[in-house]
Amino acid sequence: MAMKPPTNIWIRRQQCPCGDWKCYIKYEGDDQASTSSQQEKTETTSSLLSSEVVFTPYVGQIFKSDDEAFEYYSNFARKNGFSIRKARSTESQNLGIYRRDFVCYRSGFNQPRKKANVEHPRDRKSVRCGCDAKLYLTKEIVDGVTQWYVSQFSNVHNHELLEDDQVRMLPAYRKIQEADQERILLLSKAGFPVNRIVKVLELEKGVQPGQLPFIEKDVRNFVRTCKKTVQENDALLTEKRENDTLELLEACKNMAERDVDFVYDYTTDENEKVENIAWSFGDSIRAYTLFGDVVTFDTSYRSITYGLLLGVWFGMDNHGKAIFFGCVLLQDESTHSFAWALQTFVRFMRGRHPQTILTDIDLGLRDSIARELPNTKHVYEEFKAEFDMLCRLESVEDFEHQWNHFVARFGLVSDKHVALLFSYRAFWLFSYIRGYFLARMMTVEFSQSVDTFFKKILSEQTCLQVFFEQVCAAAFGNSTREGVQYVHIKTCMPIEEHARSILTPYAFRVLQHEIVLSTQYATTEMTNGSYLVRHYKKMDGEYLVIWIPEDEQIHCSCKEFEHSGILCRHSLRVLVVKNYFQLPEKYLLLRWRLENSLVTMEGPNPQSSSDECAQAFHSLAAALLTESMISKERFSYVHKELTGLLDHVRNMPETNEFVVNMPAHNASD
C-alpha cells in the first residue's frame, strides 16, 4: 500500500480519562481532517445507494459504460442477497474490449490445486457451486457514441440467498475506507492488538459490536499487508519530524532577535533531539497582566503525523474576545510534560499564577495543575454544559439527591464513566465552582472564539515553521479589533447610564440584561437588614442578599458577581431599593472597564454622537405621536408607514462605522 505524503494533519484528541485501553469519546460537531470528511462523503453515498430502488436488469438495457453497469448490478445483487464478480472479457483489435461478463460470486467451480508438501495441509471448502446467475454486456457504437447493452441476463441461483445482515459480510461488500485505514494504522503503531482496534472503532462510530462494514479478519489482513510500508514510512516521518522541529526552533530564535519581548523555551531528550517547545509574545504577556485572572488551557488537538500534543493558553479581554497567551508542543501527555508546560507558562508570565484555569478532563493534566498551581482553582469546562439541569442546582445536597435519581432512571448506576464523572464533580458542578471567578469564559460565545482561532491555524501544514507563522498571524493579525459599538439605554435608570460610561460594550450588555430583569423582582427586608429577593411570578427560588452599608458591600446567595465579575439582578434590585444612582466602584471591576481595553480608542466619542442622535429621534417621535393622535386616519397612515420603514431599515446592511454628523432637524418643521 502506497502511503500519502507526510503532511502534518491535526485531529481532536478524544481520549476518555477512564484509563481503559484508550476508551474514546466522540465530540459532536467536530471538524475532522479531510480524510474524515471523505469518509463521511463515502458512507453517505453508500447509504444513498442502498436506499435507492434498483430494478431487475433486463436484456437490452443500456449503460454509458461497463463500470456503470457493474455498479448497477452490484447494487441489485446486494439487495437480493448475493454478490458478483467480474469473469472473462473479450477484446478485438478494432473495438478493444467489447464484451464483459459479470457473474454470481458462487459461479463456476474451483480447480483443484497442488497441495503443498506439508504434514497437515489446509482443506478449505470452496463457496463456488456452479451458480448460473449472470449479466453479459456487449459494447456498440451508435452515431459515434459508445454504449453498453445487456446481451444476456439470468437471475436463477442454485444456492440460498442471504438476508440483509448476512449479505453485508460478503467479501465484496467489506470495505475499509481511507479514514478507517489511517485510524487502524495509528492504533496499530500505538501497540493496540487487532481485537481492541475493532472495539475502538465501534466505540468511535457508535455502532453495536459486529456492525462495522468490515470484520476483524479484514483489519488483520490490512495491518499485515501494510506492516513493511508502515515501518518505512515511520522512518521517513521521524526524519521529517526532526527536521521540522529544528526549523521551528530556528524560527523562534529568529523571532527573538527581531522582538526582544518574544520568549521561548524547549527541552531535549537523551539524544539531544528537541522534545517539547513553548513560546509566547510580548503583547500576550502584557495582556496577561490585565486579563490573566482566568485562563483556559486547550489541549484538545494532536498532530496525527508527528504525534505532538498542541496546548494553547487563552484568556478573555473586557470585550468578551479570546486572547492568545501562549503555545506549547509536547512530546506526550505525561504528567512530567504537562508540569514542564505549566512551569514554563508561569515563567513566561513573570511568575503570576491565574486565579482559575479551565481545561478538558485529563488525569495527567489534573495532577500537574494540582502540583504546579496549588492556589489556582481547576475547572473542567466540557461537562458543565452537558448536564445543565443538574449543574445549575445551587445546593450540593440537592445535586447529589437528583444525581442518584438520574443515574437510577437511566440504568447508569454501574456505569464506570458516570461514576468517574461524579467523582470529579468538584471540577465542573456549578454549586462547587460558582464561588470562583471565571470571567464568563464558560460561555458559548467564548468557545466559538477559541474554535475560530484553531480553524485558522490547523489546516494541513507541510512543516512546523509554517504552523508557527500561522499561530503568530492568528494571534495578532486582528490587532485592530472591531470598533467599540454603542449600546442604547433600555431602562433610563441612573445606574444604567453610569455603568455605560465605564464598562466596555460587552460587559455593559451583560450588566444591562441583569438590570432589565431586576425590575421583575420584589424585595422583602429582613430584621437583620438583609433582603429576600424573588421573581414576581415565582419563576425561580428566593435569593438572600446581604447589604452592609458601612463599606458598601453587597453579597447575593447566587454568587454571580464572584463567578463572572458582574452584579446579578438580585443585588441590583436591592441597590435600587437603597436609592443608588451609581454602582459602587468595587463592583465595576477593572478587567471589564473601557480604560483597560486593548482596543485603541480613536476618533470622536461614539457615546456623545449617539446621544445626539437619540435626542433627535426622541424629538421627532414625540412630534409624530402628537400629530398622529389627532385622527384615526392619521394614526393608521403613520402606523403603516413606520412599519414599512422599520422593515426597510432592518434589511439594510450593517457597518461598524457610526455617522457622527447628523443633520439638525426641527420637530416643528
Side-chain angles (χ1 to χ4, degrees):
M1 172 187 171
M3 299 294 291
K4 292 166 51 175
T7 54
N8 191 17
I9 302 174
W10 298 87
I11 62 170
R12 285 290 300 266
R13 290 171 67 236
Q14 299 177 329
Q15 182 182 356
C16 173
C18 70
D20 184 7
W21 51 271
K22 300 279 186 181
C23 180
Y24 284 81
I25 302 172
K26 184 177 181 181
Y27 286 78
E28 295 297 333
D30 277 353
D31 289 331
Q32 298 291 350
S34 58
T35 53
S36 298
S37 300
Q38 181 63 36
Q39 179 195 21
E40 291 173 3
K41 180 179 178 182
T42 304
E43 291 178 349
T44 301
T45 303
S46 301
S47 176
L48 290 174
L49 287 174
S50 63
S51 63
E52 291 177 353
V53 177
V54 182
F55 297 101
T56 304
Y58 56 89
V59 174
Q61 187 175 3
I62 295 175
F63 297 95
K64 294 180 181 178
S65 66
D66 54 341
D67 288 336
E68 180 185 358
F70 183 81
E71 182 180 1
Y72 186 92
Y73 190 27
S74 179
N75 290 331
F76 170 79
R78 180 163 188 166
K79 284 187 170 295
N80 285 271
F82 67 102
S83 66
I84 63 172
R85 58 182 172 85
K86 294 179 180 179
R88 66 175 182 174
S89 60
T90 308
E91 185 176 1
S92 72
Q93 187 174 1
N94 296 329
L95 293 175
I97 295 177
Y98 66 90
R99 175 171 168 171
R100 290 280 195 194
D101 293 356
F102 304 143
V103 297
C104 174
Y105 77 111
R106 302 194 67 174
S107 173
F109 297 94
N110 267 4
Q111 298 297 321
R113 299 180 180 179
K114 292 183 179 179
K115 295 184 179 180
N117 188 19
V118 293
E119 184 176 353
H120 298 289
R122 288 187 298 175
D123 188 14
R124 293 180 178 176
K125 184 178 179 180
S126 173
V127 298
R128 298 192 180 183
C129 59
C131 180
D132 194 42
K134 61 193 173 186
L135 184 147
Y136 293 169
L137 289 174
T138 301
K139 181 167 69 175
E140 63 179 358
I141 301 176
V142 179
D143 297 331
V145 178
T146 301
Q147 61 184 24
W148 294 77
Y149 68 92
V150 178
S151 55
Q152 293 186 52
F153 173 70
S154 172
N155 197 34
V156 178
H157 299 265
N158 64 352
H159 57 87
E160 183 181 358
L161 298 178
L162 304 177
E163 299 294 333
D164 289 343
D165 60 337
Q166 298 172 317
V167 72
R168 69 180 185 85
M169 304 309 298
L170 293 176
Y173 304 125
R174 300 201 311 259
K175 304 293 183 183
I176 303 179
Q177 302 297 338
E178 185 177 358
D180 291 331
Q181 292 178 9
E182 292 192 0
R183 195 80 179 113
I184 290 169
L185 292 179
L186 185 67
L187 294 172
S188 177
K189 187 169 68 172
F192 281 59
V194 171
N195 63 327
R196 288 189 174 178
I197 291 176
V198 172
K199 289 181 180 179
V200 168
L201 292 175
E202 289 171 344
L203 286 170
E204 288 183 333
K205 294 176 178 292
V207 301
Q208 294 296 320
Q211 294 301 309
L212 291 172
F214 45 84
I215 61 176
E216 187 175 308
K217 175 183 176 182
D218 301 322
V219 176
R220 183 170 286 103
N221 290 338
F222 173 73
V223 171
R224 185 184 299 116
T225 302
C226 298
K227 187 174 182 180
K228 182 178 179 181
T229 306
V230 169
Q231 291 174 345
E232 296 173 352
N233 192 62
D234 283 348
L236 293 174
L237 284 179
T238 300
E239 181 181 0
K240 188 176 188 302
R241 172 179 170 173
E242 292 175 359
N243 293 336
D244 271 10
T245 308
L246 289 175
E247 290 179 358
L248 172 61
L249 184 58
E250 190 65 27
C252 289
K253 292 178 180 178
N254 294 335
M255 178 65 74
E257 293 175 358
R258 299 194 306 269
D259 181 2
V260 294
D261 294 326
F262 177 81
V263 290
Y264 72 97
D265 197 4
Y266 64 97
T267 63
T268 57
D269 58 19
E270 63 276 6
N271 298 317
E272 297 301 317
K273 304 294 184 183
V274 177
E275 192 175 35
N276 307 312
I277 185 167
W279 66 91
S280 185
F281 302 89
D283 287 343
S284 296
I285 298 171
R286 285 185 285 274
Y288 185 86
T289 62
L290 294 174
F291 307 111
D293 42 18
V294 183
V295 300
T296 179
F297 186 35
D298 194 303
T299 58
S300 57
Y301 285 91
R302 167 181 287 284
S303 169
I304 194 174
T305 308
Y306 297 146
L308 294 172
L309 177 68
L310 171 64
V312 184
W313 286 276
F314 294 101
M316 176 190 280
D317 68 7
N318 51 3
H319 293 273
K321 303 295 184 182
I323 318 170
F324 173 85
F325 283 152
C327 188
V328 65
L329 290 172
L330 299 176
Q331 177 85 7
D332 54 40
E333 304 165 36
S334 65
T335 303
H336 174 75
S337 295
F338 283 133
W340 178 84
L342 294 170
Q343 293 169 4
T344 304
F345 176 72
V346 171
R347 189 170 69 253
F348 286 172
M349 300 302 142
R350 299 166 184 170
R352 180 183 172 187
H353 291 204
Q355 293 181 34
T356 309
I357 184 169
L358 293 86
T359 73
D360 291 334
I361 185 169
D362 188 290
L363 295 179
L365 183 54
R366 183 199 65 176
D367 295 340
S368 298
I369 290 175
R371 184 164 52 252
E372 303 299 332
L373 304 175
N375 298 321
T376 298
K377 175 61 180 175
H378 185 194
V379 174
Y380 294 148
E381 57 181 332
E382 292 292 336
F383 292 94
K384 174 180 168 295
E386 298 296 326
F387 299 91
D388 188 60
M389 180 187 69
L390 292 174
C391 289
R392 299 307 298 183
L393 293 174
E394 297 182 13
S395 166
V396 174
E397 293 75 15
D398 288 345
F399 166 79
E400 293 182 353
H401 177 71
Q402 293 294 334
W403 178 270
N404 292 333
H405 280 288
F406 174 78
V407 297
R409 176 185 175 189
F410 293 100
L412 301 174
V413 176
S414 60
D415 189 283
K416 63 182 178 182
H417 296 90
V418 173
L420 182 72
L421 180 62
F422 182 76
S423 68
Y424 291 157
R425 60 192 181 279
F427 295 92
W428 57 268
L429 180 59
F430 178 71
S431 55
Y432 280 97
I433 67 175
R434 64 177 180 170
Y436 295 93
F437 187 58
L438 292 171
R440 296 184 59 78
M441 284 177 60
M442 295 179 75
T443 60
V444 174
E445 294 79 9
F446 181 75
S447 297
Q448 291 173 344
S449 182
V450 171
D451 288 341
T452 299
F453 177 89
F454 279 115
K455 287 179 181 179
K456 291 179 181 178
I457 68 171
L458 294 184
S459 57
E460 290 190 13
Q461 302 300 327
T462 56
C463 65
L464 293 176
Q465 182 180 358
V466 175
F467 168 77
F468 173 79
E469 294 169 354
Q470 288 201 261
V471 170
C472 182
F476 303 106
N478 298 324
S479 56
T480 56
R481 295 171 179 254
E482 296 178 0
V484 177
Q485 297 180 351
Y486 180 74
V487 183
H488 293 283
I489 293 296
K490 292 184 178 180
T491 67
C492 294
M493 296 169 64
I495 59 173
E496 186 182 10
E497 289 275 8
H498 176 238
R500 185 179 65 171
S501 66
I502 295 177
L503 301 178
T504 64
Y506 170 80
F508 175 66
R509 285 192 189 95
V510 178
L511 180 66
Q512 185 185 56
H513 179 68
E514 296 297 312
I515 291 174
V516 171
L517 292 180
S518 72
T519 61
Q520 302 178 7
Y521 283 76
T523 60
T524 303
E525 187 172 3
M526 311 293 287
T527 55
N528 59 357
S530 59
Y531 289 83
L532 280 180
V533 182
R534 67 182 187 279
H535 193 270
Y536 81 103
K537 286 186 176 180
K538 299 182 179 180
M539 295 180 65
D540 52 10
E542 293 182 333
Y543 295 87
L544 178 64
V545 177
I546 300 174
W547 165 247
I548 305 175
E550 289 76 17
D551 51 359
E552 294 186 316
Q553 287 190 43
I554 192 164
H555 303 279
C556 180
S557 60
C558 78
K559 295 188 178 182
E560 179 61 34
F561 181 77
E562 291 84 350
H563 193 67
S564 67
I566 294 176
L567 280 176
C568 64
R569 63 200 70 170
H570 320 111
S571 298
L572 290 166
R573 180 61 181 152
V574 171
L575 288 175
V576 171
V577 169
K578 304 302 292 185
N579 296 322
Y580 266 76
F581 300 118
Q582 292 187 352
L583 295 177
E585 286 290 309
K586 66 177 68 176
Y587 297 111
L588 296 169
L589 295 187
L590 291 176
R591 74 138 26 246
W592 296 128
R593 295 192 180 200
L594 276 168
E595 62 191 74
N596 280 340
S597 178
L598 298 177
V599 181
T600 303
M601 302 292 293
E602 298 178 352
N605 187 336
Q607 179 173 324
S608 61
S609 301
S610 295
D611 285 342
E612 294 174 5
C613 295
Q615 292 176 5
F617 276 120
H618 279 304
S619 178
L620 286 172
L624 188 60
L625 177 62
T626 301
E627 295 294 334
S628 64
M629 296 301 292
I630 294 177
S631 68
K632 182 177 180 180
E633 289 75 17
R634 284 192 179 191
F635 177 82
S636 299
Y637 173 76
V638 170
H639 184 270
K640 178 182 177 182
E641 292 298 318
L642 284 180
T643 302
L645 178 62
L646 182 59
D647 291 338
H648 177 72
V649 171
R650 283 174 174 167
N651 292 326
M652 293 176 66
E654 296 181 1
T655 63
N656 291 331
E657 299 178 357
F658 191 85
V659 179
V660 178
N661 298 321
M662 293 289 297
H665 292 282
N666 191 323
S668 62
D669 288 349

